[in-house]
Amino acid sequence: MKITYQGQSRHYRTVWFDPARNRVRLIEQRLLPHKFKIVSTADFRDTALAITDMIVRGAGAIGATAAYGLAQGARAFRGRGLKAFERHLAKVYRTLAEARPTAVDPVSAMRGVLSKMTDDTVAERQEQALAAAEQFANDDVAHCEALGQHGEPLIHNGSRVLTHCNAGWLAFVDVGSATAPMYAAQAKRKSFHVYCDETRPRSQGAILTAWELAQQGISHDIIADNAAGHLMQRGEIDIVIVGSDRTLGRTGEVANKIGTYTKAVLAKRHSIPFYVAIPLSTIDWELESGQAIPIEERNEDEVLSAWGVTPSGRRQKVRLANPGSKARNPAFDVTPPELITGIITPLGIFKPRQLWKHRVKLGHTTSGC
Ligand code: MRU
């Protein structure tokens, strides 16, 4: 996406690779929208830490980061023989897969990379790893563009769209999932308005989605997480579009940022269509129940405090909550298929329970990749 910062406009992806220095390069998302900075990770452990600490976040973006991290780890191998290389790769894979547990994209991405590392020598496999990681990143962009084309007709002139968290281009390599239909509608000169849920505790909606939409010149307002029901009741929201960190191909259940389920319940109550936009790497064909999705519990500090900038521009954390009180911080929830109108994919819009029927078309392979 084209970013304008301090008067300069340039196209950026959220994540890319520097082959000469064997480094993953990332937009430092924790500093947005107040500061635009690019960081590099020195090795695969550093890359995993960037995912855990949410320098990079969002399912597609952490998928591509994990794919590049795997290639980075593979290319750093200096030992001898394929056996030792494979042992090393297994460690790299584990470290990156454990960085954040709920999104399935990192696992989908790394399995894809591993499946392409088939040549006879370590050097050849190192090259194949990077080529496959680049392929994942490029596919992510193509998938988001395609799902945008399928979702675009859902947005009409005058539509008021609600979205939750950030499922925009910052959450992917480019374009985004929930925002892709919006960008496609904008390209068709449709006029519409977006409500961005604030999305406490980390406020990705207020910080990242609002910044993205402002960069793209799309009309929007940030609303407090608790305001959506009121706006729905007054007829001020026409459609909800969100992303997903893991969508179960067998059941149609959707894991996404905490608070998504609440919005889906409210949308059902008010007969407002509720759509989930995903690239194919977000579909988990293995798990048989949403109860089995690992839900990340993050540090209570995120709920008890908030980050902001002072009038002088210094980034600062302040305590919000009662001193001494503790908090729970589940980062994701699971929305059941009966609350979802449709899943927008790069291959069209499906009812959540129809994903399994269309599994071959949607990329399910028996190897589970
Ligand atoms: O904790 P985050 O910021 O990584 O969570 C991101 C979300 O929940 C997005 O809505 C999600 O990744 C879907 S779009 C990639």
Side-chain angles (χ1 to χ4, degrees), residues 27-106:
I27 295 176
E28 203 339 338
Q29 299 198 25
R30 297 173 307 178
L31 303 183
L32 290 171
H34 309 291
K35 190 167 175 187
F36 183 77
K37 187 177 169 193
I38 307 297
V39 295
S40 298
T41 59
D43 56 29
F44 76 87
R45 285 199 176 80
D46 206 19
T47 303
L49 207 58
I51 294 173
T52 304
D53 289 348
M54 295 177 69
I55 288 174
V56 59
R57 32 66 51 205
I62 63 174
T65 305
Y68 283 132
L70 190 67
Q72 180 183 37
R75 294 171 97 238
F77 178 74
R78 295 284 173 268
R80 282 172 182 236
L82 277 176
K83 279 269 166 306
F85 181 61
E86 271 163 19
R87 277 198 302 275
H88 168 75
L89 267 189
K91 186 172 63 193
V92 177
Y93 177 94
R94 251 193 336 271
T95 307
L96 288 158
E98 286 166 4
R100 286 195 80 189
T102 301
V104 77
D105 295 66

Side-chain angles (χ1 to χ4, degrees), residues 29 51 54 56-62 100 103 105 163-168 170-172 176-178 199 202 204 208 242-246 255-258 260 276-279 282 296 298 331-332:
Q29 299 198 25
I51 294 173
M54 295 177 69
V56 59
R57 32 66 51 205
I62 63 174
R100 286 195 80 189
D105 295 66
T163 190
H164 190 68
C165 192
N166 173 261
L170 285 165
F172 289 86
S177 61
T199 321
R202 288 187 71 102
Q204 291 96 326
L208 302 175
V242 299
S244 168
D245 292 83
R246 188 187 295 244
N256 194 45
K257 179 54 55 192
I258 194 77
T260 301
V276 179
I278 54 166
T282 301
E296 179 184 8
R298 293 188 63 86
F332 299 93

Side-chain angles (χ1 to χ4, degrees), residues 15 22 38 56 82 125 139 141 145-146 155 171 198 221 224-225 234 248 253 267 277 279 316 361:
V15 47
N22 202 34
I38 307 297
V56 59
L82 277 176
R125 290 191 189 186
D139 287 350
V141 179
E145 273 166 356
I155 299 178
E198 176 189 22
D221 285 309
D225 289 319
R234 296 277 166 113
L248 299 197
E253 288 158 290
Q316 192 175 304
K361 176 175 166 187

Side-chain angles (χ1 to χ4, degrees), residues 100-126:
R100 286 195 80 189
T102 301
V104 77
D105 295 66
V107 167
S108 307
M110 290 195 291
R111 284 180 176 179
V113 171
L114 289 174
S115 74
K116 300 277 166 46
M117 297 169 69
T118 51
D119 276 356
D120 293 338
T121 67
V122 169
E124 285 167 324
R125 290 191 189 186
Q126 286 170 323

Side-chain angles (χ1 to χ4, degrees), residues 248-319:
L248 299 197
R250 289 175 186 270
T251 66
E253 288 158 290
V254 165
N256 194 45
K257 179 54 55 192
I258 194 77
T260 301
Y261 170 54
T262 318
K263 299 302 144 76
V265 172
L266 281 167
K268 188 75 166 181
R269 167 84 172 86
H270 296 284
S271 305
I272 294 167
F274 186 96
Y275 285 92
V276 179
I278 54 166
L280 301 184
S281 55
T282 301
I283 306 177
D284 178 332
W285 295 109
E286 292 171 15
L287 289 189
E288 293 181 0
S289 157
Q291 290 291 333
I293 298 175
I295 299 294
E296 179 184 8
E297 286 255 358
R298 293 188 63 86
N299 195 300
E300 65 171 5
D301 202 39
E302 294 181 345
V303 174
L304 301 172
S305 309
W307 284 91
V309 285
T310 64
S312 66
R314 194 162 48 85
R315 210 171 157 261
Q316 192 175 304
K317 186 171 82 171
V318 291
R319 169 93 187 185

